[in-house]
Amino acid sequence: MQSNAQKYAQLFINDSPLLDVRAPVEFQRGAFPNAINLPLLDDEQREIVGKCYKQHGQKTAIEKGHELVHASLREARVAAWASFASQYPNGSLYCFRGGLRSEIAQQWLRAAGVKLPRIEGGYKALRSFLINELDTATTHCMFRLVGGKTGSAKTDLVQDLHNAVDLEAAACHRGSSFGRHVQAQNNQINFENILAIEFLKLQYKNVFDIVLEDESRTIGRVGLPSALFAKMRASPIVVIEASYETRLERLIQEYVVEMHSEFVAQHGNNAFKAFSDYLLQA
């Protein structure tokens, strides 16, 4: 029989779809790459039920929750979950601790003739597992760094290698003063979750010699875990050299042409103003 840790590993290695029934505010604080948030309770309902639980206990809180998620709302919730289960037959559901909310969701789905497995321990257990995986990778893997001046195509090289983890992709930031994308940057928890999953997948393939781009302690607004950064500082580094002209051409393409295209796609006719503001704020 598989341990919980082995089950968690398979979920992330296989990119299994995850149905997160936590409230939106919880999902925004931290989530997993393959998770979809279809909450049992919205933020306001969660707050009401939470206060009820503290003041009157679990039984009354459950009754309050059923009162808030009335018949038509319950039908809408179940329909959304059933659609997820139909689209992702290999999916699983969870709440924060794998307890009451995910149990209720599973019961309501079962009553509608839909089966969807529930993850024991919920988000909290999965998050703890990934934190441990980051520590394991830092301890057991050997790192080689790719360095060089901005525009020397370090990231391109990292992305082409089978044994590399792209730190900037995990952060959704290029790591430089003008490195922000139009898309919002990942928060710290999401950044760490993505990193841990990337390391886990490589180790599953018996890859323990891993290439990383040489980065500072922070990439945009997120920070590399202290132990990982310390290990990187003590790792060998390969430096890419490229001519000024080559670097300049690449930087114009990436930081001007392609970046402007991102703003056009996002802002349409207001793209130039938004792009200008972005440059001035960098």
Side-chain angles (χ1 to χ4, degrees):
M1 182 179 293
Q2 282 187 320
S3 66
N4 280 341
Q6 290 171 322
K7 292 176 183 177
Y8 300 156
Q10 288 302 313
L11 288 173
F12 292 120
I13 289 168
N14 296 327
D15 293 326
S16 300
L18 302 172
L19 172 57
D20 187 324
V21 299
R22 295 178 300 155
V25 67
E26 297 173 281
F27 188 81
Q28 289 162 10
R29 289 193 198 112
F32 308 116
N34 287 340
I36 296 174
N37 186 218
L38 297 172
L40 172 65
L41 302 171
D42 63 28
D43 293 337
E44 183 180 356
Q45 292 166 341
R46 171 178 173 267
E47 186 175 353
I48 292 171
V49 171
K51 287 180 179 178
C52 187
Y53 179 86
K54 290 179 181 178
Q55 294 172 359
H56 306 291
Q58 185 184 70
K59 183 175 183 296
T60 305
I62 293 174
E63 292 173 354
K64 175 58 72 173
H66 282 285
E67 176 187 325
L68 292 170
V69 186
H70 49 75
S72 60
L73 193 55
R74 170 175 169 168
E75 289 176 6
R77 298 277 200 272
V78 173
W81 299 335
S83 177
F84 172 91
S86 175
Q87 187 174 356
Y88 306 109
N90 61 328
S92 304
L93 70 87
Y94 63 86
C95 59
F96 183 65
R97 292 186 178 87
L100 192 57
R101 284 181 289 178
S102 56
E103 183 179 350
I104 290 172
Q106 192 178 46
Q107 288 173 353
W108 288 359
L109 278 169
R110 194 179 296 120
V114 179
K115 291 183 178 180
L116 195 63
R118 182 161 54 103
I119 298 173
E120 186 175 344
Y123 172 84
K124 187 175 181 180
L126 292 171
R127 168 71 175 155
S128 296
F129 168 76
L130 290 180
I131 291 173
N132 289 335
E133 282 303 310
L134 263 182
D135 292 339
T136 298
T138 300
T139 302
H140 296 292
C141 295
M142 183 175 81
F143 299 147
R144 301 177 192 272
L145 305 187
V146 175
K149 294 180 179 179
T150 302
S152 57
K154 303 183 296 294
T155 303
D156 291 347
L157 174 60
V158 167
Q159 291 174 345
D160 284 342
L161 297 173
H162 76 280
N163 63 328
V165 171
D166 189 342
L167 301 175
E168 294 182 0
C172 194
H173 195 283
R174 285 183 291 250
S176 57
S177 298
F178 298 95
R180 182 171 61 85
H181 292 279
V182 175
Q183 176 188 352
Q185 186 176 2
N186 289 325
N187 65 27
Q188 184 67 34
I189 291 175
N190 291 0
F191 171 62
E192 292 171 358
N193 287 343
I194 293 169
L195 278 188
I197 293 168
E198 292 301 311
F199 283 123
L200 175 66
K201 288 179 176 179
L202 287 177
Q203 292 174 90
Y204 179 73
K205 298 175 183 176
N206 291 317
V207 175
F208 295 91
D209 188 347
I210 297 174
V211 177
L212 304 170
E213 187 171 343
D214 186 27
E215 300 285 355
S216 61
R217 176 70 174 81
T218 58
I219 305 175
R221 295 177 300 173
V222 300
L224 290 166
S226 298
L228 175 62
F229 183 66
K231 179 77 170 276
M232 289 171 63
R233 292 301 90 196
S235 299
I237 183 169
V238 174
V239 178
I240 298 178
E241 293 184 352
S243 69
Y244 175 84
E245 292 75 18
T246 298
R247 291 172 48 232
L248 181 59
E249 182 179 351
R250 184 175 290 116
L251 289 173
I252 290 173
Q253 178 64 31
E254 182 176 351
Y255 284 82
V256 179
V257 177
E258 293 177 7
M259 196 66 198
H260 182 256
S261 296
E262 287 188 34
F263 276 92
V264 170
Q266 182 80 13
H267 297 281
N269 293 334
N270 297 319
F272 186 82
K273 174 66 165 59
F275 188 29
S276 175
D277 291 343
Y278 155 80
L279 293 173
L280 291 170
Q281 293 166 8

